[in-house]
Amino acid sequence: MASRSTSAAGRPDRTGGRLCALPRGEAHVWFASLRVPDGTLGELDLSLSAGERARADRLRRSNDRARFIAAHGIARAILSRYEGVEPRAVPLEPDRGGRPVLRRPAGETPLRFSMSHAGDAALFGVAGDREIGVDIELIDPRGLDERASQRIFSAGERAALDAMPPAARTDALFRWWTLKEALLKARGTGLATPPSTIDLSTVSLDARKTLTLRTGDGGTWNRMLMPWSATN
């Protein structure tokens, strides 16, 4: 995930919380559980846009609907602390690829925002003067078969994975996959860019270590892997 700190500070705002300052050069990461009481879920649902409610209604499973409502409602609550408006007034809309973005009148520079959720966990990233991408994944090796591995990983990465002991392979596999997802979100292309075209076989997988990635298109990105564990 392309970010480096979590912070909350500032002056009182109309949301009843406090405004969050976002100094130049900083990016903030927020972690949240999507397991919320029914009353809280109802409040979050009231903050959603008509489009978000329509998307939630199209989800067949009640658990998926609840997670969608919680994730998008929490995103609005977080962004309201930067925008100084009520959560329902945050100008959060999906772009052509379905990625939530903050809309602004022409000429104004919007906050950069990224979100990801897996199971009952969600991650939110906010930046002011740089693109940001975050990703969170459930570690479940059953979700990555040989076909998926070829689609996601480069030849160099697959060779590096094959050379690792089994205990290290799963950890490396999901760290690389999480980093690729975050990078593609920050670049704004999502999975329209084949993940296998990004080779991270020489990238350090040390947790909480920030390093610079230089991509083939001349882009330069900072990344940090921050592991979380959760128990049911």
Side-chain angles (χ1 to χ4, degrees), residues 32-36 41 66-68 70-72 74 117-122 124:
S33 171
L34 301 182
R35 289 186 178 183
V36 299
L41 189 66
R67 287 169 176 164
F68 181 95
H72 286 74
I74 291 170
H117 56 91
D120 290 322
F124 308 88

Side-chain angles (χ1 to χ4, degrees), residues 120-177:
D120 290 322
L123 203 63
F124 308 88
V126 186
D129 59 350
R130 64 195 59 205
E131 299 299 335
I132 185 170
V134 300
D135 188 57
I136 186 169
E137 299 288 341
L138 292 173
I139 297 180
D140 183 358
R142 296 172 299 177
L144 286 174
D145 56 20
E146 182 61 27
R147 179 180 298 180
S149 180
Q150 291 182 1
R151 178 175 56 85
I152 294 169
F153 300 107
S154 69
E157 289 165 341
R158 293 199 301 273
L161 289 168
D162 289 341
M164 294 179 186
R169 189 177 303 138
T170 297
D171 183 69
L173 184 152
F174 277 92
R175 285 177 184 265
W176 276 338
W177 172 231

Side-chain angles (χ1 to χ4, degrees), residues 178-202:
T178 302
L179 178 53
K180 288 190 181 202
E181 282 263 24
L183 178 59
L184 292 174
K185 287 180 180 179
R187 292 170 70 177
T189 62
L191 295 179
T193 297
S196 60
T197 62
I198 301 172
D199 187 282
L200 303 178
S201 57
T202 61

Side-chain angles (χ1 to χ4, degrees), residues 45-150:
D45 182 53
L46 291 175
S47 72
L48 301 187
S49 67
E52 288 169 329
R53 287 203 189 93
R55 289 177 62 191
D57 290 342
R58 288 195 292 269
L59 298 173
R60 295 183 178 182
R61 297 176 56 187
S62 59
N63 283 346
D64 291 339
R65 286 195 300 275
R67 287 169 176 164
F68 181 95
I69 292 168
H72 286 74
I74 291 170
R76 286 179 168 276
I78 290 171
L79 290 170
S80 73
R81 300 181 67 178
Y82 295 89
E83 297 287 291
V85 299
E86 296 288 343
R88 67 174 66 89
V90 172
L92 189 65
E93 300 176 8
D95 63 11
R96 292 182 178 179
R99 185 181 68 155
V101 295
L102 283 164
R103 299 296 186 187
R104 281 288 187 281
E108 289 189 21
T109 302
L111 287 175
R112 274 74 163 185
F113 172 71
S114 181
M115 65 182 287
S116 177
H117 56 91
D120 290 322
L123 203 63
F124 308 88
V126 186
D129 59 350
R130 64 195 59 205
E131 299 299 335
I132 185 170
V134 300
D135 188 57
I136 186 169
E137 299 288 341
L138 292 173
I139 297 180
D140 183 358
R142 296 172 299 177
L144 286 174
D145 56 20
E146 182 61 27
R147 179 180 298 180
S149 180
Q150 291 182 1

